[in-house]
Amino acid sequence: MRFGITILPEHRWSDAERLWRGAEELGFDHAWTYDHLVWAGLPDSPWFGALPTLTAAATVTSTIGLGTFVSSPNYRHPYVFLRDLLALDDISGGRLLCGLDTGGDLDARILGEDLSLKERVDRFHEFVEALDRLATQDHVDLDGRFHRTVDARTLPGSAQRPRFPFVVAANGPRVLRLAARLGQGWVTYGAGGETLEEWWAGVAGLTQRLDEAEAQAGRERPLDRYLSLDGSPRFSLESVDLFEDMVGRAAQLGFTDVVTHWPRPDGVYAGSEAVLEQAAARMPALR
């Protein structure tokens, strides 16, 4: 089991630097931040860009993976996005994890977008396929419905080979098949539920769907499987006991990675840094 932590990009860097350093010092394997214009969970909160935040984090850490949780085509063109990712991958020394998703409703509404769910999934497929080509080829021509390039140059390429890993967020069958085809990792928040047991039942159902998608894709190596523990009805760092129980149940379902959130003083993900430190101290025994 590997352990990740998400640090929301709501802090000025003078305050955030301590958190990113702390994530590595506490022994987390990867650290993430949300990639939104505005997050619906904190619509009135200060908010900073994901990629500049991760780039700053790369300069004050040395081993921890750094990822977007998650990026979408809501406001990104794959070629422009690639350029930023290549810089982050280089500055971090090949520690980039590229989380990808169809995108949130709020970001789309802010930009005046009016696409159906099917159209958004269509666009996401095109976006991921385009990003894969751009990250592995040079002189790329794209002529899709949503994205175009003419002789797009992509040097110097990724610091990782053949490219930085895609961690695809997916619950529906079409995107699960996309994850199985082009991803190196799969991440889920679960499928809802009012109780922990209902949530775990939904997670178990999703893992079965991914098994089927991987079998259809004929993968030689299974996807890394990331579970966002805080998609459940309870905050995973509510207590050390709850955290350990959730990690154990995730392992039983075949997850290779779990992700929690840095505790906030109030509101969403409210909790104690003391509990975070205690849970981190238990991680070596849970690996």
Side-chain angles (χ1 to χ4, degrees), residues 185-207:
W186 166 65
V187 61
T188 184
Y189 305 83
E194 295 185 2
T195 67
L196 269 180
E197 290 306 315
E198 290 175 354
W199 184 75
W200 280 115
V203 171
L206 291 171
T207 62

Side-chain angles (χ1 to χ4, degrees), residues 11-67:
H11 311 281
R12 294 191 181 278
W13 184 247
S14 55
D15 297 318
E17 179 180 356
R18 174 186 71 87
L19 308 184
W20 290 93
R21 287 183 185 273
E24 183 167 273
E25 291 166 357
L26 287 170
F28 284 92
D29 299 286
H30 33 78
W32 309 76
T33 200
Y34 285 8
D35 189 7
H36 292 288
L37 297 174
V38 176
W39 182 47
L42 289 169
D44 299 319
S45 174
W47 207 253
F48 295 92
L51 293 179
T53 296
L54 291 171
T55 301
T59 67
V60 298
T61 58
S62 59
T63 60
I64 195 168
L66 299 170

Side-chain angles (χ1 to χ4, degrees), residues 29-249:
D29 299 286
H30 33 78
W32 309 76
T33 200
Y34 285 8
D35 189 7
H36 292 288
L37 297 174
V38 176
W39 182 47
L42 289 169
D44 299 319
S45 174
W47 207 253
F48 295 92
L51 293 179
T53 296
L54 291 171
T55 301
T59 67
V60 298
T61 58
S62 59
T63 60
I64 195 168
L66 299 170
T68 57
F69 208 68
V70 283
S71 299
S72 80
N74 267 347
Y75 56 94
R76 297 193 183 281
H77 186 284
Y79 186 40
V80 180
F81 187 39
L82 174 79
R83 283 301 186 201
D84 289 338
L85 292 173
L86 290 178
L88 173 56
D89 201 31
D90 178 65
I91 292 167
S92 68
R95 290 184 282 138
L96 169 64
L97 298 165
C98 184
L100 298 169
D101 185 34
T102 55
D105 293 336
L106 181 55
D107 288 342
R109 289 199 304 270
I110 289 172
L111 295 180
E113 180 182 284
D114 186 23
L115 296 179
S116 68
L117 177 59
K118 179 183 182 303
E119 288 172 320
R120 289 172 65 183
V121 173
D122 289 345
R123 181 180 63 178
F124 183 61
H125 274 67
E126 184 180 295
F127 178 82
V128 175
E129 290 167 355
L131 189 60
D132 177 63
R133 284 189 59 198
L134 289 160
T136 56
Q137 302 175 25
D138 195 9
H139 298 282
V140 178
D141 293 321
L142 300 175
D143 188 20
R145 175 183 173 190
F146 302 98
H147 310 103
R148 296 184 179 183
T149 62
V150 177
D151 193 29
R153 303 304 310 277
T154 61
L155 299 175
S158 174
Q160 305 177 68
R161 291 292 181 264
R163 58 158 166 76
F164 44 81
F166 291 177
V167 181
V168 181
N171 281 4
R174 286 186 62 197
V175 183
L176 281 168
R177 289 194 295 270
L178 178 68
R181 183 163 57 88
L182 291 179
Q184 285 67 53
W186 166 65
V187 61
T188 184
Y189 305 83
E194 295 185 2
T195 67
L196 269 180
E197 290 306 315
E198 290 175 354
W199 184 75
W200 280 115
V203 171
L206 291 171
T207 62
Q208 293 174 0
R209 292 185 198 173
L210 182 66
D211 290 340
E212 295 168 0
E214 288 189 324
Q216 292 174 5
R219 292 185 62 94
E220 294 182 2
R221 180 187 182 281
L223 290 164
D224 290 336
R225 299 185 178 200
Y226 295 74
L227 179 61
S228 179
L229 298 176
D230 302 324
S232 82
R234 293 172 65 183
F235 180 38
S236 60
L237 290 177
E238 176 183 310
S239 70
V240 176
D241 288 343
L242 178 62
F243 179 74
E244 290 189 8
D245 180 68
M246 295 187 79
V247 171
R249 295 188 68 165

